[in-house]
């Protein structure tokens, strides 16, 4: 009987302890939940929910690049034609528009777009001028292309280098298209002197010999 009484008292005491602990646990969970919610709200309010005009233009330009990558050329053309009218972003829009025209085989328009790209650039890169020269050749605007290639020949630090050889080969090809075979051969011979294994120059020279005969 005595043992039973001890067990009952122990059970009551333990029940009281658990009853006291349960509310504490619930309060801690509620507090933790509120703290997490507050942190989430602060994070949400710190996020930028709108783009300023410059950021909007940049976003649209990135979207145009994605359209080109996905070969959705008509959509890219419409978007870039709108973007090129914005002065702040025109210099970036025109090269992309020129690429679209090339992919659509609209070379006269590509030539105009490349010309605008060069005009808007404070210091046109050789890659940019090379794209302009390529479009000029496709449109039979040989003077435009030849002027670029001859300018490359004047760069002293590239004398005898890769760019110099490329300029000689491209001039040879340009004069080949113009059916000025002696001058074309002259430039191609110079390219092969500097680089005897140049496959493009050798192929162009071989073509000249076939056309000449």
């Amino acid at each position: 009987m005595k043992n039973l009484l001890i067990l009952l008292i122990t059970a009551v005491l333990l029940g009281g302890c658990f009853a006291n602990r349960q509310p504490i646990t619930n309060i801690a969970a509620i507090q933790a939940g509120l703290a997490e919610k507050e942190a989430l709200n602060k994070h949400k309010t710190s996020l930028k929910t709108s783009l300023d005009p410059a950021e909007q233009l940049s976003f649209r330009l990135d979207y145009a690049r994605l359209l080109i990558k996905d070969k959705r050329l008509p959509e890219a053309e419409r978007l870039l034609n709108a973007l090129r009218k914005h002065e702040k972003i025109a210099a970036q829009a025109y090269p992309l528009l020129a690429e679209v025209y090339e992919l659509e085989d609209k070379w006269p328009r590509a030539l105009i777009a490349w010309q605008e790209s060069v005009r808007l650039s404070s210091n046109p890169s050789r890659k940019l001028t090379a794209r302009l020269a390529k479009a000029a050749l496709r449109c039979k605007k040989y003077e435009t292309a030849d002027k670029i290639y001859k300018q490359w020949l004047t760069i002293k630090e590239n004398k005898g280098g890769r760019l110099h050889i490329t300029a000689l080969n491209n001039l040879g090809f340009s004069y080949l298209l113009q059916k000025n075979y002696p001058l074309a051969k002259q430039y191609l011979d110079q390219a092969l002197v500097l680089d005897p294994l140049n496959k493009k120059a050798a192929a162009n020279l071989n073509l000249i010999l076939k056309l000449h005969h």
Side-chain angles (χ1 to χ4, degrees), residues 153-178:
L153 293 178
T154 64
I155 303 175
K156 293 182 180 180
E157 59 267 26
N158 288 303
K159 197 73 173 178
R162 182 178 175 184
L163 183 67
H164 189 88
I165 296 169
T166 299
L168 291 171
N169 180 51
N170 289 353
L171 280 167
F173 183 67
S174 175
Y175 284 112
L176 186 158
L177 294 176
Q178 298 173 60

Side-chain angles (χ1 to χ4, degrees), residues 165 169 188-189 191-192 195 198-206:
I165 296 169
N169 180 51
L188 293 171
D189 284 338
L192 287 170
D195 183 8
N198 191 298
K199 292 182 179 180
K200 289 184 178 180
N204 287 333
L205 187 59
N206 187 47

Side-chain angles (χ1 to χ4, degrees), residues 4-24:
L4 180 61
L5 183 60
I6 292 171
L7 287 173
L8 288 172
I9 293 170
T10 303
V12 170
L13 290 173
L14 289 173
C17 290
F18 286 128
N20 289 334
R21 286 178 184 174
Q22 189 67 25
I24 294 173

Side-chain angles (χ1 to χ4, degrees), residues 104-120:
E104 293 177 329
D105 205 26
K106 298 176 180 177
W107 286 97
R109 293 186 180 184
L111 175 59
I112 295 171
W114 286 122
Q115 287 173 327
E116 285 299 303
S117 300
V118 171
R119 185 183 68 82
L120 292 171

